[in-house]
Each structure stands twice: as structure tokens, then as C-alpha cells.
Amino acid sequence: MDMTALIADLVGIRLEQNDKIIQQKSRDFYWYSPVLKRQLDHVTGDLVASPRTEEELIRVLKACYAHDIPVTPRGTGTGNYGQAMPLSGGLVLSLADMNEIREISPGRVICGPGVICSDLDKATRAHSSQEMRMHPSTYHTATVGGFIAGGSGGVGSINWGGLRDFGNVIRLRVVTMEEEPQILELTGEDLHKVTHAYGTNGIITEVEMPLAPAYDWVDAIVGFDSFDDATLYANALARQDGILTKLITVVAAPCPFDYFKRHQKFLTEGQSVVLVMVAPHSHDAFKAFTARHSGEVVFDASMVEDLKGLPPVFELAWNHTTLRALRVDPAWTYLQSLYPFPNQIELAAKMERMFPGEMISHLEFVRFDGDITCFGLPLIRFTTEERLDEIVELHHANGCPVFNPHRFTLEEGGMKQTDEIQLAFKRQADPKGLLNPGKMIAWDDPDYDFGSGETWLFKGLKQAS
């Protein structure tokens, strides 16, 4: 790769050539997985470019196309699957400086891909008391573009489903990787070509997303003596149409007391908990409902005088649960599974009992295809890769599909089925295969079997149309 010629072509664009910073910008939270840590620890790019405008971005893509330089886009690198890591070296394309908020109007916002989620909410709250429908637990560090390109849902998915669902992204402006890059405006069905595609088939330069009314959400933790009681309560709370929540998370003992260190003074050893974010106008109803289910509200932010030093409860949920455990005991890793409706309660209980000492259950209640169910993000005590694969297969065998976070490709992760329509779009948008190479099996192996009947978090376009 002729990086010297590339650098000469990119005069005036912010570049980073310091090896240590390039390595840092070539990383995400891949080390959550001991498998990916072994496979990807050596990965680094050769140069980082940080365009500030779409015009600068197009200059970067044209130059990389001319010199056959691979391009790996990134936001702030808060993903967990190596999706922002440059497997073939080349140029790391940081979109963090494309962070302009262009328009806020009733029910929607238009912004650059590099806007931090919490900064977007700060602006929309100040402008018109609105907020993002959903956001990752890395709310204070993740970018909007990174969330769309690498995420699936999160805090707010209890009401709005996931990014896979029609309406949760309105429009994306995407630049292709060609000799003369095209600017595409994608809406409707076409959005599924690039949402959760790791930037393998186009670079997002503008996002239009829906907004929801903003509330001063009240954080609460409800304690239960058993995981089963916590799960039954969480499922029932999620089905209370009149109680507005933004987060309903179950974390089994011993995780809360052992690993939620800053909240430990509110918790009891051996207690399983439900983490809740509830709207202020639903707070009384939430407390009454909880009392009826014999839950103990062990923490209620509205009743605590000094919240200094306490993270928001969403930073105990989703993949922050894994992070809290890893900080105390590096032997933990995790899985991502689905407990399909209508058997989510029975499946969660069954999995909880199947791996004593190896697994701590963690459920995130969501809307999924219109029904209330839950994802599992259980903590898994890592021993060997072979045992990890066995645990994955036992989940599958018991009707709990796993979207494997120990794989860095789209298809193996199960997060999105790459089919002929998406592959055709990559051929159109990235004819040389320079965008984030190595992340899409179908590009390297066109004979990959898409007809396996697996459950996919993102529907394939061919199957959906």
C-alpha cells in the first residue's frame, strides 16, 4: 500500500500518523470476547483520516479508491465485535468530526454521523423537549452513526423495538466507494442495506431519525429473592401499557451485589434485581404495581438526596452489565440471545438452571415484532473456546438463538442476514471491496448458505421483500 502517495493526496484533511494513536483508533471493545482478543489483538491501521465535511470525506474515498487502500469507518469505537477494526490495515476513517446538528423539528432530527448520542439529546431537549427514541448504554460516548451502523437497539427498545424496525431510522445519506463516489439518499426498505452493516457498503454522512417526548426519567432498582420472581415481575411491568418506562432489565444474583459497586450500599447479597427507568408521571403507578408484585424498591433516585458518584441505571444495563463484571473479574464474557415470545419466561428459567456456576442471567425486555419479550445478555465464565461454542449450541438446541458476539462478521454474528440484495448493493457501492474488508462473508464466499432457517435479528432484504 502506497501510504505516502495517499497522504500527499489528502493535504488539508486532518490526518493522524502517530503509531500509538493509530492503534488506539483501530480498536473497539473487542476484548469483551476472549476469542476476538486472541484473533484481533494485532490488528491496526496505517493512517487515520478525520474529515469534517462530506466534501472532505469524498476526497478521502476517491484517493483511497485510486490507491487501492482499504477503508474502515468508525465513530468512537464503542462496539464490541471488532466491527470498527481494520482487518486489512489501510485507512481508519474517523467520522467523529462530522458532528453538526442541522435541523430539529417536531418528531425528527437531522444530524451528522459523528454526533454523540447524549449531545444530540441535550440539543433536542433544549430545543423542544424531545429525545432519541432509543440509545445504547454507551450513550455518553457513542455516535449516532456508529449506533446505526453497528448497533441494534438499547435503552428505549421496550417501547420502540430496534433499529431493524420500520420508522426507527427515517433517512440516511450515504456515500459510495467508487472512482466517482455517488451520494445516495436512502429511505424505507433501502435503509436496511446499510443499517447494521458495519460500513461495508457505504459511508453514512447524514442521519434523519425520529424523536420522542423527553422526560426526566426516574431510575429505580427493584429487589427480589429469586431470579424467577424478578423475571415474572419484569415481564408483567413491560406489559403495563399505562406505565411509561424506558428500561426494564433483570440481572440475576450474584452480579448486582458483587459487581454494581457504586450501588452496592442499596443492595443485598443474593438478591436478583430489576433495573427500571420510569417517567415521572408513571412513578406512583410503578410503585403501586411493584408493591402488588411483592417487589422491594431498594433504590429510587427521586428519594436519594445525593446522587453524586452514582451512574445512571442504564449504565448497569445492556452491555454495561458485562463491563461492570469484567472490571472486577476478567474471567467473565457474555452472549447475546433471544428468548422468543411467547415462551420467554420458561426459556429464561431453563437457561438460568442449565449452566450453574458458568452463567449469570441478564435479560433486557424489549418489543420484538410487536410483542413483549426479552434478549439475554448473560455473563458467561470463560474456560475454553470449545466450551463457549458448546454453550452457544445448547442455547440454539433449546430454542434460544444466539447472535454470537465472539464473531466479527455480519453473518456469523447473526445480527443481520446478508443476502443477494445486500450483496448486490455492496457490488454497486464498493466494486473493489475496499470498505471494511473481511466483515461480510458473502463478499468473500458467494456460496455462503443463507437458507439455514436461523433466527436473525435483522431480517434479510430478500426474505423481507
Side-chain angles (χ1 to χ4, degrees):
M1 286 187 279
D2 189 353
M3 303 307 293
T4 304
L6 178 67
I7 290 166
D9 285 352
L10 297 181
V11 170
I13 292 172
R14 185 177 157 208
L15 302 178
E16 182 54 67
Q17 299 180 61
N18 180 290
D19 287 344
K20 285 188 176 178
I21 295 176
I22 292 171
Q23 185 181 50
Q24 177 197 337
K25 298 286 188 186
S26 300
R27 297 283 188 262
D28 61 11
F29 286 85
Y30 72 104
W31 49 265
Y32 274 39
S33 163
V35 179
L36 295 183
K37 180 152 176 46
R38 174 183 60 78
Q39 293 175 333
L40 304 181
D41 225 18
H42 66 285
V43 168
T44 187
D46 297 286
L47 183 70
V48 178
S50 300
R52 287 161 293 203
T53 64
E54 188 175 79
E55 293 72 25
E56 287 190 356
L57 173 79
I58 289 170
R59 269 189 65 201
V60 171
L61 294 181
K62 283 184 72 168
C64 288
Y65 188 91
H67 295 289
D68 293 322
I69 305 291
V71 173
T72 302
R74 83 190 301 271
T76 47
T78 61
N80 305 314
Y81 327 115
Q83 67 261 55
M85 295 180 65
L87 301 186
S88 299
L91 183 121
V92 175
L93 180 67
S94 171
L95 299 168
D97 288 348
M98 295 181 67
N99 58 2
E100 182 187 0
I101 299 173
R102 297 181 182 125
E103 184 182 329
I104 302 168
S105 53
R108 64 178 69 201
V109 64
I110 299 172
C111 67
V115 181
I116 301 294
C117 293
S118 60
D119 290 343
L120 185 66
D121 268 3
K122 189 176 180 182
T124 56
R125 278 174 171 266
H127 179 275
S128 50
S129 296
Q130 299 184 95
E131 65 185 17
M132 295 176 72
R133 284 183 174 182
M134 67 190 78
H135 62 76
S137 64
T138 50
Y139 177 65
H140 291 293
T141 50
T143 62
V144 173
F147 181 42
I148 290 170
S152 58
V155 183
S157 287
I158 187 61
N159 295 315
W160 298 102
L163 292 168
R164 71 199 278 275
D165 295 313
F166 281 115
N168 282 333
V169 179
I170 299 170
R171 176 182 60 86
L172 295 174
R173 187 173 168 99
V174 174
V175 174
T176 64
M177 181 70 172
E178 301 174 79
E179 186 174 4
E180 289 296 331
Q182 298 179 64
I183 299 171
L184 307 176
E185 299 274 352
L186 304 181
T187 59
E189 187 74 72
D190 287 339
L191 288 167
H192 298 293
K193 295 174 179 175
V194 294
T195 52
H196 203 87
Y198 300 179
T200 54
N201 51 19
I203 305 299
I204 297 168
T205 62
E206 185 173 86
V207 174
E208 185 171 356
M209 289 190 84
L211 298 172
Y215 297 101
D216 294 325
W217 300 94
V218 179
D219 285 353
I221 302 176
V222 185
F224 291 90
D225 291 335
S226 76
F227 170 75
D228 289 352
D229 287 345
T231 303
L232 285 167
Y233 162 81
N235 191 73
L237 177 62
R239 295 172 58 83
Q240 290 293 306
D241 293 332
I243 299 178
L244 182 58
T245 56
K246 193 172 183 177
L247 178 79
I248 302 176
T249 302
V250 179
V251 185
C255 177
F257 186 82
D258 287 357
Y259 304 135
F260 297 169
K261 292 298 187 183
R262 293 189 191 177
H263 285 82
Q264 192 181 59
K265 61 187 175 186
F266 302 102
L267 306 172
T268 303
E269 203 164 357
Q271 213 172 39
S272 293
V273 303
V274 181
L275 310 173
V276 181
M277 290 171 66
V278 61
H281 60 265
S282 291
H283 190 223
D284 287 341
F286 155 74
K287 288 191 290 187
F289 178 82
T290 302
R292 183 180 287 183
H293 278 258
S294 303
E296 180 190 0
V297 180
V298 297
F299 173 79
D300 182 326
S302 69
M303 307 296 287
V304 177
E305 284 189 18
D306 185 10
L307 295 171
K308 190 177 179 183
L310 290 177
V313 294
F314 69 74
E315 289 186 358
L316 305 177
W318 290 90
N319 237 329
H320 263 73
T321 311
T322 312
L323 182 60
R324 302 279 169 197
L326 273 169
R327 281 178 172 168
V328 179
D329 184 350
W332 289 113
T333 186
Y334 75 114
L335 289 179
Q336 297 178 143
S337 61
L338 173 67
Y339 297 120
F341 179 86
N343 303 312
Q344 65 269 24
I345 302 296
E346 296 83 355
L347 288 169
K350 186 176 184 181
M351 291 299 103
E352 162 72 6
R353 288 160 178 71
M354 189 172 285
F355 307 103
E358 281 187 294
M359 182 173 119
I360 300 176
S361 290
H362 165 200
L363 311 176
E364 294 290 346
F365 279 82
V366 297
R367 280 195 171 276
F368 193 86
D369 291 341
D371 297 307
I372 295 293
T373 190
C374 53
F375 289 127
L377 283 90
L379 296 172
I380 303 293
R381 184 164 290 283
F382 181 75
T383 50
T384 66
E385 291 184 26
E386 292 74 21
R387 179 54 182 163
L388 189 61
D389 289 342
E390 281 177 11
I391 293 171
V392 169
E393 288 309 311
L394 284 165
H395 275 75
H396 282 297
N398 283 278
C400 304
V402 170
F403 313 114
N404 198 335
H406 305 284
R407 302 288 186 268
F408 56 74
T409 60
L410 286 164
E411 296 91 344
E412 290 175 290
M415 300 298 282
K416 183 171 185 174
Q417 189 169 187
T418 311
D419 57 20
E420 289 92 336
I421 293 173
Q422 178 144 38
L423 185 56
F425 180 66
K426 181 168 173 69
R427 287 180 178 137
Q428 168 199 333
D430 180 24
K432 287 186 179 179
L434 292 171
L435 285 179
N436 210 351
K439 307 292 172 59
M440 186 189 283
I441 293 176
W443 179 265
D444 300 307
D445 180 9
D447 297 325
Y448 189 79
D449 176 21
F450 298 110
S452 60
E454 298 253 6
T455 300
W456 303 87
L457 182 52
F458 283 75
K459 295 181 176 75
L461 285 171
K462 185 183 179 188
Q463 286 73 10
S465 59

